[in-house]
Amino acid sequence: MLDRAATRGLFRLARGNLRCRFPHLIFRVFYGLVVCFAVPFVNLARAQSADTLVLALGAEPKSFNEIIAQETTTTEVTGLMFEGLTRFNPLTGAVEPRLAESWEVSPDGLEWIFHLRQDVQWFDGYPFTAKDVVFTFRSLIFNPSVIAPARDIFTLGGKPVQVEAVDALTVRFRLPVPFAPFLLALNQSIFPEHALKSAVAGGNFQSAWGADSPSDAIIGTGPFKLKRYVPGERVELVRNEKYWKKDESGKALPYIGRIIGLIVPSADGRLLKFLEGQTDIYILSGADYPLLKPKQQRGRFNLVDAGASAGSYFLAFNQNTPNLVHREWFQSRVFRQASAHALDRQSMIDIIFNRNGVPQCSPLSPSWPYFYNAKVSCYEFNPEKARQMLKAGGFSDRDGDGFLEDKKGNAVQFTLLTNAENPERLQMAGMAREDMSSIGLKVNLLAVEFNTLVTKLSATHDWDAVLLGLTGETDPHFGANVWRTDGSLHFWNAGKGAVKAAGEDEIDAIFRQAASLMKMEDRKKLYDEWQAIAARELPMIYTVLPRTVYAIRNRLQNVKPSAIAGPLYNIEELRIKE
């Protein structure tokens, strides 16, 4: 998923990053929620009571319709309201029961039977049943009139997963081919048939549950429900009193009664809110570390280093841009590789992240130790090599102005986009522009609002280059909507007339085959190959990953932060002590 700041099973666009294909996997809410919330609206000294968690959101949600979401601005909120049949535990790596309490699978891996919990109700009191699971898949995910990113995940061998209700609390899935990450994929949120069937029948589901919907119209089963949304100011969630989960003593969860998400687009504003004691969690930028470290005791918070960010930060060129001259440049592997050699990643780490970062060479973060391929090619900073590569590719400074022209005499000039709300991203884009200018590429930097950027990448395709990111995923397959050429977020070579680039057929085959292999070591070999192809062809030029450091108020108890899932993945178990 495209990530605003840095999502659940699918890659999706998020303020700093794109998000993977399952808008609802664990990251979606807990990671993004903390990453970005914003502006004052009430007396926060009173709001920050013993049962209220106050966060800062970097932007407001586009809607509350998670099934169609391609961005974390939506899913970082909806992830607190909706649940899947299963859940990934980032601390153990295990897939755990959620709305399903147990399951069994046939020896050939093609039939799965899930037994649902008997004690689950929707927010409005309707019982959760197998009909809701069937509705989610048949009427939403596989509905051709609904733009559902999750469809990529549940389409196996070109065929959809079949789902049927055996009885009120039993669901049977039939797979066309074995699918190794199926249990993990069922973190896919389930939606209420009774609340949404009329929207589907009327053909207006795409506009259902918009940002202007009444709060009580948004019906989920999760630990929190929407209380109110004030555009530009705040999102307020309250405890779901009907939530099914209990603690070991039988006490109803969640413990926290209310979550206030202040919408604060400015990173400086989010930092100020935290320093003033008005918010409970803050994700540090590199420049923040020396400022916050000496303030821990007096400010009653701790800094927790959770490791390298689980997502990715990259620069990409539009290989199917409407500008035919630019398209020829961007389709050149030599052009992309030269640009990669121009980037001074160590300076980015030192300057932007205050030395709290690592270079990124692979589509996967080193925080994913099993599937991460540490042997992929990494493009060292070598401007002279970049110049020689461009010269060999027919680029030269024919008019002596310090910038290159192509072999047809066209000045090599293009626009680099990034999202305006992310200061680190802006700094990185500025440094990338200078680095590419040093090898003769004339780059104009343009910062735009994140959701505008998402539209350009996923709909209109009218862009040259972008510096952005993708959220991390629990399994490489959940990035299929980015990496497969038919994926809904295959943004660098998309749109009318797109022709497959070198390596894309190979990657398509890898993602098809790896999903059907049940042995992890066999899947590992294929995903290693995918990372090697990505490093060779460079559809995305990876930059650096910041280390994930959280500032967490001492009043929060039972917080178990990780780079993979953030500090709030166990939100229902968090306590607040004054």
Side-chain angles (χ1 to χ4, degrees), residues 1-4 6-29 66 69-76 78-79 149 189 314 450 468-473 478-479 481-482 488-489:
M1 167 178 275
L2 289 172
D3 180 19
R4 296 177 295 161
T7 165
R8 184 169 173 176
L10 314 165
F11 276 112
R12 296 175 177 269
L13 296 170
R15 281 262 151 212
N17 306 5
L18 294 167
R19 175 178 179 185
C20 287
R21 79 174 260 165
F22 271 106
H24 41 281
L25 264 171
I26 62 173
F27 298 73
R28 63 175 179 179
V29 174
E66 185 186 286
Q70 289 274 25
E71 68 296 315
T72 55
T73 52
T74 293
T75 59
E76 63 195 6
T78 60
S189 289
F314 59 83
F450 178 72
L468 203 54
L470 283 163
T471 54
E473 290 307 325
F478 296 143
N481 69 322
V482 171
S488 61
L489 204 52

Side-chain angles (χ1 to χ4, degrees), residues 371-397:
F371 286 115
Y372 174 67
N373 183 358
K375 297 180 181 179
V376 297
S377 300
C378 209
Y379 290 80
E380 80 279 6
F381 175 51
N382 191 333
E384 184 54 37
K385 183 175 182 178
R387 296 185 191 99
Q388 292 302 319
M389 293 177 72
L390 289 171
K391 183 177 181 180
F395 297 92
S396 61
D397 182 8

Side-chain angles (χ1 to χ4, degrees), residues 219-241:
I219 308 296
T221 63
F224 293 91
K225 58 185 179 180
L226 185 65
K227 176 67 173 178
R228 64 176 58 88
Y229 167 48
V230 182
E233 290 188 9
R234 71 190 187 276
V235 178
E236 185 176 344
L237 304 168
V238 294
R239 177 194 291 122
N240 172 15
E241 301 290 351

